[in-house]
Structures are given as structure tokens and as C-alpha cells.
Amino acid sequence: MRKIYFLLLAFAFAAVSNAQNVNVAGALIGNGSYPDLGTAFTAINGGAQTGANITVTIAGNTTETVSAVLNAGAWTSLSITPSGGASRTISGSLAAPLIDLNGADNVTINGLNTGGNSLAISNASTSGLTNTSTIRFINDASGNLVTNCTISGASASASLGTVFFSAGTATGNDNNTISNSSINGAGATFPVNAVFSAGTATFENSGNTISGCNVSDYFSAGLLTSGILVAANNTNWTISNNRLFQTATRTYTTSNIHNGISISSGNGHIVSGNTIGFATAAGTGVYTMAGTVATRLIAINLAVGTTTATSVQGNTIAGISLATSSGAATTNGILCGINITAGNVNAGNVTPNTIGSTSGTGSLVATPTTTQGVIVGVHSSSTGTILIQNNLIGGFTSTGATAAVAGGVVGVSISGVAASMTITGNTVGNSTVDNMRAGTLVTTTGSSIATGISVTATPVILSVTNNTVQNFASYGTGTGGFVRGIIGSTAISTTATYNISNNIITNLTTSGAFVGYSSGLTCAQGIQFSGGLNGTCIQNSISN
């Protein structure tokens, strides 16, 4: 009996070990059943597959011991889906791509999420070695779709991502789409970047789309991190209707920048309908960044080209809390909604971005340990053509960690000599009293600063029209605090043209005593420009 028992165990073990989890059909060469996806791909790579419509079904969980590499093929289509009405997982722990689309085109990986079917793809490796990723597009992989999947990774490199768009050879990795998927960490270990793309000079990665995805838990305590990072040699990306969030508090140990969406090359990008903030995809909880180092957070960070303007519309940035030792009081401050450092950008335009909240207080909160750490709604240091239009900005609170540490809030900040800068139709500060709040009324002893629209450079053309600046407050008993509606704090160029008109500025409050004015008087200014204006300043309304 004992021999029979052990024989049965051995038989059962062999049956599990030889399980055929991946089925291939419709191929000219390679049809059959395989233990894992890598073996199936090797079989498909064995033939040209001209005109074939290949189906790959995942009938059981697979553990990949080497990269599943799919090379370029002449098939008409190749689809990968789960089967059997169950959750399927393709997993491994590889210092390499788990799934590698190596020049492969017209591939669809569809997790379905119907009839009990779902597909998770996970690479648990924490290696920072080159190419560690969960899905990689390389060598002109184009026209591919990954949808309805859970994609998990833990790469420790700042130049990689869970989804990685890599180098091209003749055209670039173009027109690929990641949609309706969850991109997150592998268990309790997180990737530095959830999505990362770096193309090849003259062979840019172009026309790629990240849409409708839940992108969460991208973080490294010691590195610059991003949810979606479109780096060098990319153009014409669409990043739309995604939700970027952190499910728990993240704590930095090294001073760094944490980005939601960052694009640093190319033209004609569309960044629309994304929500950055909160602790869940449903928009509940708080996206919390902690630490005692000089961390700065930028929700949307852009350094783009001037050939075709990049459009940033309909995004929501809210439900964020940042603790930092940084006291950055200029440019993009310590916490910034939209940061534009290069290129032509239409920010807002027809469909407004919401930065903070349209009512109430405390949607974007910063707690600096160094005085006047500033929350900024939109910042531009670009020399290009910039349109900041129809945005809704409100609900900022910057309060120092102690009473002596002042805070700072700025709705729109311009620090670059733009060719043309238009700021129009924005509502800066919502309808709730003191919702744009720097410092605390009762306790702050420092010098807090609060400004609606700040221009610290001299754009060639500056138009500030039809904006509403309301309910700003700077609290503190220091001698350098102030509240201002619209300010130009550098001497105006005699060759520049300015139009400051039809703005409404109301309900500005400060408790600071400003040196340079009568002793003990607070400093509140509606509109103030240094050096005069070469242009018009008419029909503005300033009250309360």
C-alpha cells in the first residue's frame, strides 16, 4: 500500500509539473499546448505565420523562468486571452522583461474581465538591472493592445517601468495602447515608475496611448519616481482618463521629486481627463507623501516641444498631502498641480483642469518645516507659447509644522520669459472663505504669502484677462507676509506688451505686518506691477 501511495503522489506531481497551461491555435507552425507562455512564443517564432490569425489562450497559471519573447511575425493578428471562466496569472521573478514584444506587431493581450475570466501579469523582481519590467515594447513593436489586465512590477531602476517602451530600430515603438488596466506594485514591493518610455533619436516612440488605467503604488524612498514617465525621444502620446493614486502613506528618505505624469520630450501630446490624487480609484482617502527631507511633488510635469502644442485639459488634481523640509517659495514650489518648463502648451483651454477643489478647503495640503513652502496651481517657466485658460483652482492649505514656520499659496505662477503668455478665464480660489490659505490665523508667527497670479519674469506678450481671484488669506504675525491678487514683481520690459483687464479680485485677507509700509499695517494688494506697464490695465474690479 505504501508503494502505491508514493506512486500516486509521484504521478500527481508529474501531472502538475507537466500541466499544459497555454494553448496555441490558428498558427501555421506551432499549434499545440505548452506549459508556459515563453515556450508557446518560441513555437510561434519558429514560422513566418504569414496571414495567420493566431489565438493563444491561458488555461492555467504559468510561471515564466525566462523571458517570454515574441519576435516580429507576418500574422494578421495574434490574441492572448484567459479561458475557463477563472482568474489566470502569468508570473515570474526575472531581471528581464516577463513578456517581451520584440518587434511584434498587431498583438492583443486582453484580460477580458467577463464570465469569470481575468488575467494578471506580474514580475516580482526588484532588480535595477537593464530591462527589468513586466511588459516591454522594443525594436519597433507597434499596433499592439494590452487591455483589461492587472500588470504588476517592482523594478528598482529610475530608467525602467512596469510597462516599458524601449528602443526602436527603424520607426520606433508606435501606436501601442494600454487601456482599462491596473498597473501597480508586485505585492508589497513597488516600481520606481509604473510606465516608462525612452525611445531612440530619429526613431521616436510615437502615437502611444495610456487610457482608462488605474496606476497606483509607484514609489522609491530614495529615487525620483513617476506614475507615467515619457522621457527622451517620444512624441504625440495620449494619456487620458487614468487614475493615479497611492493606497498608503509613502515616506521619502532622500530629497527628490515625485511626479504623477511627466513628459520630457516631443510635441502634440494630449494629457486629458486624468485624476491624480486620493488613496483609491474611487476618489476616496488621501494621497499622502511623508518624510523629513526636501521632497517636492508635481502632479503633471511638462518639458515639451514647440512644433505642435501639447494639450492639458480636464484633469483633476486633488486629495494630496505632502510633508517636507523644503521651503521652496518660487517657481513650482513644494507641491504643484501643473508645471511647464519648456515648449508650447494649452493648459485648460476649452475643458478646464481642476486643481484642488471647487468648494471647501484642504484639498491640496502641504506641511513644510522650512518657512514659506508654497503650493502652486499652475507654474510656467517656458519660453514658448502658453495658454492657461478656464482652470478651476482652489482649496490649498500650506501651514508650517510649527508656529514659527509660515506657509505659502499661489494660484498661477509665471517665472519664464514666454514668447506669449495668456492667462484667461480662470477661477483662482473657490467660493469658500479663506480656501487659499497660507499659515494659521491663531498660531502662525512667521510671514506667510498668498498670491492669486504671480508674474516674476517678463513675457514678450502678457495677457491676464477675465480671471477671478478670490478668498485668499495669509496668516502670521511676521513682517514679511502679504496677500496679493495679481502681481508682476520684476521691472517690465519697454518692448513687452501687457493687457491686464476685466479681472475680479475680492476677499483678500492678511494678518502680517509688512516692512516698508507704515509700521503695523498689513499688506494686501489688488494689482501691483513694478516699473509700470507698456499696455493696458483697465476694467478690473477689486473689493473686500
Side-chain angles (χ1 to χ4, degrees):
M1 288 295 293
R2 184 174 296 177
K3 291 182 179 180
I4 294 174
Y5 175 74
F6 281 117
L7 284 172
L8 288 172
L9 283 178
F11 178 79
F13 177 78
V16 170
S17 300
N18 294 316
Q20 303 301 290
N21 299 312
V22 181
N23 300 313
V24 177
L28 301 185
I29 295 175
N31 291 327
S33 297
Y34 303 92
D36 54 48
L37 187 63
T39 308
F41 279 178
T42 298
I44 293 170
N45 291 335
Q49 311 294 358
T50 303
N53 292 292
I54 303 171
T55 60
V56 178
T57 55
I58 310 301
N61 297 334
T62 78
T63 299
E64 308 298 322
T65 56
V66 295
S67 292
V69 180
L70 183 64
N71 297 328
W75 53 76
T76 298
S77 67
L78 191 155
S79 67
I80 302 168
T81 58
S83 66
S87 299
R88 306 300 186 191
T89 300
I90 301 169
S91 65
S93 184
L94 309 178
L98 187 76
I99 296 177
D100 202 15
L101 300 183
N102 179 31
D105 300 337
N106 303 317
V107 175
T108 296
I109 304 175
N110 189 346
L112 299 177
N113 291 333
T114 59
N117 294 294
S118 64
L119 183 60
I121 308 169
S122 178
N123 187 354
S125 174
T126 59
S127 172
L129 296 176
T130 302
N131 302 324
T132 302
S133 55
T134 303
I135 299 176
R136 181 174 72 166
F137 301 83
I138 191 170
N139 295 332
D140 305 337
S142 298
N144 301 295
L145 170 65
V146 180
T147 188
N148 299 319
C149 295
T150 297
I151 310 167
S152 304
S155 172
S157 171
S159 57
L160 296 171
T162 299
V163 178
F164 178 27
F165 295 82
S166 186
T169 57
T171 61
N173 303 287
D174 301 335
N175 303 313
N176 300 288
T177 297
I178 312 294
S179 68
N180 302 324
S181 295
S182 293
I183 307 172
N184 53 30
T189 308
F190 311 130
V192 176
N193 306 301
V195 178
F196 179 83
S197 179
T200 303
T202 71
F203 306 131
E204 296 173 309
N205 295 337
S206 67
N208 296 302
T209 297
I210 311 294
S211 179
C213 294
N214 293 330
V215 182
S216 65
D217 299 336
Y218 42 92
F219 179 72
S220 168
L223 296 173
L224 185 153
T225 56
S226 300
I228 300 172
L229 175 51
V230 180
N233 302 310
N234 290 275
T235 197
N236 293 110
W237 278 60
T238 297
I239 302 172
S240 65
N241 302 314
N242 304 288
R243 291 181 175 271
L244 289 83
F245 56 95
Q246 297 288 335
T247 60
T249 299
R250 309 297 173 211
T251 302
Y252 269 100
T253 57
T254 301
S255 300
N256 255 307
I257 293 175
H258 180 82
N259 295 306
I261 297 169
S262 180
I263 303 176
S264 57
S265 66
N267 295 278
H269 303 290
I270 297 172
V271 182
S272 66
N274 303 286
T275 297
I276 303 171
F278 305 108
T280 68
T284 59
V286 178
Y287 190 123
T288 303
M289 307 301 295
T292 57
V293 295
T295 304
R296 300 170 77 172
L297 189 152
I298 303 171
I300 299 175
N301 202 0
L302 303 172
V304 295
T306 58
T307 303
T308 304
T310 289
S311 175
V312 184
Q313 297 191 35
N315 301 285
T316 297
I317 300 159
I320 298 174
S321 175
L322 171 69
T324 179
S325 67
S326 175
T330 59
T331 62
N332 57 284
I334 57 176
L335 170 55
C336 183
I338 299 172
N339 185 42
I340 306 162
T341 59
N344 295 348
V345 176
N346 293 337
N349 204 0
V350 177
T351 304
N353 300 293
T354 299
I355 304 171
S357 59
T358 57
S359 64
T361 62
S363 179
L364 298 183
V365 175
T367 308
T369 59
T370 305
T371 200
Q372 292 181 351
V374 172
I375 305 175
V376 179
V378 181
H379 167 256
S380 175
S381 57
S382 174
T383 58
T385 299
I386 305 296
L387 172 63
I388 301 171
Q389 182 176 19
N390 295 336
N391 297 290
L392 306 173
I393 300 170
F396 295 5
T397 300
S398 174
T399 304
T402 64
V405 178
V409 295
V410 178
V412 178
S413 172
I414 307 303
S415 65
V417 185
S420 176
M421 174 63 62
T422 301
I423 306 167
T424 184
N426 302 284
T427 299
V428 185
N430 65 45
S431 59
T432 301
V433 173
D434 295 355
N435 72 93
M436 298 292 279
R437 182 181 303 170
T440 302
L441 175 60
V442 177
T443 62
T444 300
T445 59
S447 300
S448 298
I449 58 174
T451 304
I453 298 172
S454 173
V455 181
T456 58
T458 55
V460 177
I461 299 173
L462 174 66
S463 178
V464 183
T465 63
N466 299 299
N467 302 286
T468 296
V469 176
Q470 60 185 353
N471 293 314
F472 274 70
S474 72
Y475 292 126
T477 56
T479 57
F482 57 76
V483 63
R484 294 165 174 167
I486 301 173
I487 179 173
S489 60
T490 58
I492 301 305
S493 168
T494 57
T495 61
T497 302
Y498 288 71
N499 177 21
I500 316 296
S501 63
N502 296 299
N503 300 287
I504 298 171
I505 301 169
T506 186
N507 295 336
L508 308 184
T509 301
T510 183
S511 62
F514 194 87
V515 172
Y517 291 80
S518 298
S519 178
L521 293 181
T522 59
C523 178
Q525 297 174 322
I527 299 175
Q528 186 264 321
F529 274 80
S530 302
L533 290 174
N534 178 28
T536 59
C537 182
I538 60 173
Q539 296 180 334
N540 300 286
S541 172
I542 303 170
S543 63
N544 298 335

